Amino acid sequence: MNITLQVWRQPGPSSPGGFATYLVEDVSPDMSFLEMLDVLNERLVLQGEEPITFESDCREGICGACGVMINGLPHGPQLGTATCQLHMRKFSDGDTITVEPWRAAAFPVVKDLMVDRSAFDRIIEAGGYISVNTGSTPDANEIPVPKPVADTAFDAAACIGCGACVAACPNGAANLFTAAKVAHLNLLPQGQPERWDRVVAMVDTMEEFFGSCTNHGECEKACPKSISIDFIAMLNHDYVKAKFKNRRLVAQQG
Amino acid sequence: MSRSAEGLQKALSEIPALYEEFKTDVRVLGENESVNQSLERAGRVDDFFQLGMLMCVDALQREESCGAHFREEYQTPEGEALRRDDEFSYVSAWEWTGEEPVLHREPLEFEFVTPTTRSYK
């Protein structure tokens, strides 16, 4: 396959960027999108041109590092997968593909396709953890968790924090990310003591960096883990409920 | 998977030439003023060369077999790993000097359960 790439090149956060066009010849349809970029980079190095900066780590869809906009879609046209799981066979010989970094004010470009997603870390630092002592590993079934609840918590925990939801959102909102991170703790018994403080802290921190959700639903479509926007409804529900909770009476279901 | 003094010495005689070629021929593009993944990777490969050579030195110095750390010279008549706990029951802590690494032995002392050869027979 011969592919023409239009790649966003930007030397640094405060430098102007622009598209550069590269013809990538002899691309195997079995290559992943990132492998195709590796091949291009190796050729660029041999030509004495600086390789394209992009992030990747696990290359099996679980680390969340590799997200880029491909033809305007986060992680490209294939649903429910990250950029590293997209293969060149999804494209046709002679295609022109546009590759850009995440488009979001909260994710400033570091260089080329690499963005700074540390605003996500601020949200996690605000409450995405359990700090009460939960003791050692309990015996199986000692703490009863109904199957549908466990499944739902697991679905939320599938979030890899890639930022596709933010990049897809016309408002640059991080509600799907925050909702997933809140839900996977708030659904489980170990998450209950800090449930109400957690949701308020994480939502308030999210609001500092990101836009507001207006239920476009683009995030769900872009999510490489297909996380449902139902979690945003649960987030809003918990947030409102937290405002009415007397936290000192949580142990009495107050 | 096994190792021998002969193979390790061969590796130690050949890696320095590769390392020298890497240091003189490596092409690192970009600049210092912004993120430079090429420089980051070149630094890692440099580390791997040094670590790789140290692993060969360490494996050569350890004249015993220990499970999957199998030295061909040290095996039982049946081809199983031959332990030499009397001489090698220590952790090898190698000191970085910039020249030849210096060995510091940190003895392993077992009070209750002592190391033995595992047998499935």
Side-chain angles (χ1 to χ4, degrees):
Chain A
M1 296 169 73
N2 292 332
I3 300 286
T4 304
L5 284 183
Q6 289 188 304
V7 184
W8 185 262
R9 306 290 317 248
Q10 186 174 335
S14 51
S15 319
F19 283 104
T21 307
Y22 303 99
L23 177 64
V24 196
E25 289 172 318
D26 301 324
V27 173
S28 159
D30 297 327
M31 281 178 183
S32 77
F33 198 82
L34 298 182
E35 284 166 343
M36 183 272 298
L37 288 178
D38 289 337
V39 166
L40 171 61
N41 272 348
E42 280 182 25
R43 293 178 190 168
L44 288 178
V45 170
L46 291 176
Q47 289 165 23
E49 195 175 335
E50 194 178 350
I52 299 159
T53 300
F54 66 93
E55 281 193 283
S56 74
D57 190 28
C58 74
R59 298 203 176 200
E60 56 179 14
I62 56 170
C63 79
C66 66
V68 291
M69 302 294 280
I70 300 167
N71 287 338
L73 297 168
H75 297 298
Q78 185 170 263
L79 296 183
T81 50
T83 303
C84 57
Q85 297 164 295
L86 176 66
H87 287 82
M88 295 313 293
R89 54 181 167 266
K90 296 285 168 184
F91 299 94
S92 306
D93 185 31
D95 274 2
T96 296
I97 306 171
T98 307
V99 192
E100 297 161 88
W102 283 162
R103 300 167 178 164
F107 295 155
V109 171
V110 176
K111 188 170 184 173
D112 297 341
L113 304 175
M114 181 197 260
V115 299
D116 179 0
R117 288 175 295 137
S118 50
F120 269 4
D121 297 338
R122 303 293 88 77
I123 298 174
I124 296 297
E125 285 161 12
Y129 48 80
I130 287 169
S131 59
V132 295
N133 191 352
T134 57
S136 58
T137 314
D139 286 340
N141 301 320
E142 195 187 335
I143 303 173
V145 180
K147 181 77 165 73
V149 177
D151 285 351
T152 310
F154 195 80
D155 286 348
C159 172
I160 55 175
C162 66
C165 46
V166 177
C169 180
N171 305 331
N175 287 56
L176 190 62
F177 167 79
T178 310
K181 294 301 178 192
V182 166
H184 90 96
L185 299 177
N186 276 11
L187 283 164
L188 296 175
Q190 293 87 344
Q192 296 314 304
E194 294 161 305
R195 176 174 185 169
W196 311 110
D197 287 331
R198 171 181 302 113
V199 65
V200 171
M202 289 178 74
V203 168
D204 289 352
T205 307
M206 171 188 82
E207 298 283 354
E208 283 178 37
F209 296 94
F210 296 92
S212 297
C213 175
T214 47
N215 295 320
H216 274 78
E218 295 283 343
C219 51
E220 180 184 82
K221 192 97 172 174
C223 177
K225 298 292 144 189
S226 302
I227 293 172
S228 165
I229 53 169
D230 287 359
F231 286 111
I232 299 181
M234 290 166 67
L235 176 78
N236 293 338
H237 178 259
D238 259 23
Y239 185 76
V240 170
K241 217 169 165 185
K243 294 293 182 181
F244 290 96
K245 282 281 176 189
N246 183 334
R247 313 265 215 286
R248 285 168 295 180
L249 300 178
V250 161
Q252 298 163 33
Q253 303 294 310
Chain B
M1 194 175 69
S2 65
R3 62 187 72 156
S4 65
E6 191 192 355
L8 291 165
Q9 274 155 354
K10 184 167 182 282
L12 279 169
S13 70
E14 289 177 6
I15 297 174
L18 283 173
Y19 189 28
E20 204 48 45
E21 188 187 335
F22 167 77
K23 282 197 287 190
T24 50
D25 284 0
V26 69
R27 189 173 225 174
V28 182
L29 296 161
E31 51 196 26
N32 291 328
E33 282 68 32
S34 63
V35 170
N36 190 335
Q37 290 180 322
S38 305
L39 185 62
E40 189 186 321
R41 284 168 192 151
R44 269 189 243 164
V45 174
D46 190 88
D47 287 347
F48 291 153
F49 269 112
Q50 293 178 4
L51 188 63
M53 287 188 285
L54 181 60
M55 283 170 75
C56 292
V57 168
D58 183 65
L60 187 61
Q61 185 273 335
R62 193 160 276 270
E63 294 174 331
E64 65 158 351
S65 290
C66 195
H69 301 270
F70 189 79
R71 268 288 285 269
E72 287 166 8
E73 301 95 314
Y74 303 96
Q75 51 181 297
T76 65
E78 287 179 306
E80 295 294 328
L82 181 66
R83 302 181 65 99
R84 296 178 69 198
D85 290 315
D86 292 346
E87 286 184 63
F88 289 95
S89 193
Y90 57 80
V91 171
S92 302
W94 293 94
E95 183 188 347
W96 169 252
T97 60
E99 300 285 327
E100 290 294 305
V102 179
L103 175 61
H104 298 275
R105 292 174 171 84
E106 295 178 358
L108 292 168
E109 282 157 20
F110 300 90
E111 280 183 50
F112 303 108
V113 182
T114 52
T116 51
T117 301
R118 185 176 291 184
S119 171
Y120 295 100
K121 285 183 181 174

